[in-house]
Amino acid sequence: MRVGKLTSEQLNRLVLDKLKIKNDKVIMSAGLSEDCAAIRHDGILLITTDPITASGDNAGALAIEVSANDVAACGGKPFCCTLTLIAPPSITEDELERIVDGASAKADMLNVDIVGGHTEVSDSVVRTVASVTMLGKADRVIGTAGCRPGDGIIITKQAGIEGTYIIANDYPDKLGLTEEERAEAASYGDMLSVLPESEVAVAHEISGMHDVTEGGVFGAVAEMCQAAGTGAVIYTDKIPFSPLTVKVCQTLGLDRYRLISSGSLIITSPRPEDIVDDMKNHGIKAAVIGKITEKDTVAVYPDGTRATFDVTADELLKAGKL
């Protein structure tokens, strides 16, 4: 495709015609030559933005999902967003269409309206960058900085969901996966939303929530502790991983505790077991993996080894260089 903005015909056919409005708060939406969307507002408005730089045809869907998760991690419900796609000249119309189709389908699944954005082909990028700005509404705001010493640390589902999903999709030749394992990895795309567990958690006494994105479990916990001025102790054998995630990380020599993990939510609470029990009542797996302490973020391994950890680059970056 040529470098620069899409033609009006391409923009309508490949993008705008695929975006259907579902929420009555949307007054004006994405359209040819429209500069802004207009949204009716009352109560607390949450706004977040996040780019996806590695996921191929899944870039649009993942960008919608992770931005919606940011809103959920603050205790809110997403309702509309803008989507910006910057694609390299090597992209084809079919590839761009698949990215937009994925974004539109994911938005429909989450009852989110894509109300604007920008789509462009540029030689400034070597692969498609998808960036979403998500809006949500909330009755109260839950931040990451509220955890206090003594609070339990909960993780939902299993760690490494997004990392396994992306690696299996982008680098299948490096993994030697069976057909069953490929199918399992593909199914992880349906596990990436944390909206269900957020809705359960906000009914309880919680001090903080954070979605597990770049940097994995270690990164998410370290970020929460840095924001709150606390420490933590994490027991690595309590962190749930699927056998497939373990295999992928072992095959590529990746640290699974530092692998991007959208689909998992970290929750801190003085009454963690109540939340775990309620999650299970709603069909959501959850586990207590540690507690908040006065200082130092420490991981305790099964052999008793203790090591401090911090926010580091995600292991996903290594996968593309192997």
Side-chain angles (χ1 to χ4, degrees), residues 13-30:
R13 176 168 53 87
L14 299 176
V15 181
L16 296 177
D17 289 348
K18 299 176 178 296
L19 310 181
K20 308 301 180 184
I21 299 306
K22 300 167 287 296
N23 293 287
D24 59 9
K25 289 185 177 293
V26 179
I27 302 170
M28 181 174 68
S29 183

Side-chain angles (χ1 to χ4, degrees), residues 45-322:
L45 184 67
L46 301 174
I47 304 173
T48 184
T49 187
D50 218 341
I52 292 292
T53 58
S55 59
D57 289 349
N58 299 315
L62 277 175
I64 298 292
E65 192 96 77
V66 298
S67 296
N69 282 351
D70 284 343
V71 169
C74 291
K77 292 184 179 181
F79 67 92
C80 72
C81 69
T82 61
L83 170 64
T84 295
L85 298 173
I86 308 296
S90 60
I91 198 169
T92 66
E93 285 196 358
D94 286 345
E95 289 170 333
L96 180 59
E97 190 169 23
R98 286 196 295 271
I99 291 172
V100 177
D101 281 341
S104 181
K106 184 62 67 174
D108 286 346
M109 185 183 302
L110 298 175
N111 198 34
V112 167
D113 288 323
I114 303 174
V115 298
H118 182 81
T119 307
E120 178 179 338
V121 175
S122 172
D123 56 11
S124 295
V125 298
V126 295
R127 57 177 176 261
T128 301
V129 175
S131 182
V132 164
T133 297
M134 184 71 67
L135 279 72
K137 48 190 176 182
D139 295 325
R140 63 183 177 117
V141 179
I142 299 166
T144 60
C147 57
R148 295 291 179 263
D151 287 352
I153 302 171
I154 303 162
I155 189 170
T156 64
K157 299 194 190 84
Q158 62 200 38
I161 298 172
E162 182 183 7
T164 305
Y165 175 65
I166 291 175
I167 293 170
N169 180 74
D170 289 3
Y171 312 109
D173 56 315
K174 299 179 179 179
L175 299 174
L177 300 181
T178 66
E179 288 300 319
E180 292 77 10
E181 288 171 330
R182 287 172 182 258
E184 179 182 340
S187 73
Y188 287 5
D190 298 325
M191 299 171 59
L192 296 175
S193 176
V194 298
L195 271 69
E197 47 260 59
S198 170
E199 291 181 2
V200 174
V202 296
H204 292 267
E205 183 181 358
I206 57 177
S207 55
M209 292 199 298
H210 194 25
D211 62 327
V212 189
T213 53
E214 292 184 33
V217 177
F218 281 0
V221 173
E223 286 176 345
M224 294 184 77
C225 291
Q226 289 172 6
T230 64
V233 58
I234 298 294
Y235 299 94
T236 60
D237 61 344
K238 302 291 186 183
I239 302 173
F241 291 93
S242 71
L244 178 58
T245 297
V246 173
K247 176 180 178 177
V248 166
C249 290
Q250 288 179 343
T251 300
L252 300 183
L254 306 180
D255 183 348
R256 61 182 182 269
Y257 305 110
R258 303 181 189 276
L259 180 64
I260 190 167
S261 298
S262 290
S264 296
L265 187 64
I266 295 289
I267 305 164
T268 57
S269 170
R271 302 175 62 88
E273 296 297 346
D274 291 350
I275 296 173
V276 170
D277 289 343
D278 200 11
M279 290 285 180
K280 291 179 180 177
N281 290 337
H282 285 80
I284 301 169
K285 294 181 179 179
V288 179
I289 61 172
K291 65 180 180 180
I292 301 298
T293 60
E294 293 284 350
K295 62 179 182 178
D296 298 329
T297 50
V298 178
V300 180
Y301 292 87
D303 63 359
T305 301
R306 301 170 65 92
T308 59
F309 60 88
D310 204 340
V311 181
T312 58
D314 196 275
E315 292 292 284
L316 188 64
L317 299 176
K318 294 181 182 178
K321 299 178 181 179
L322 295 174

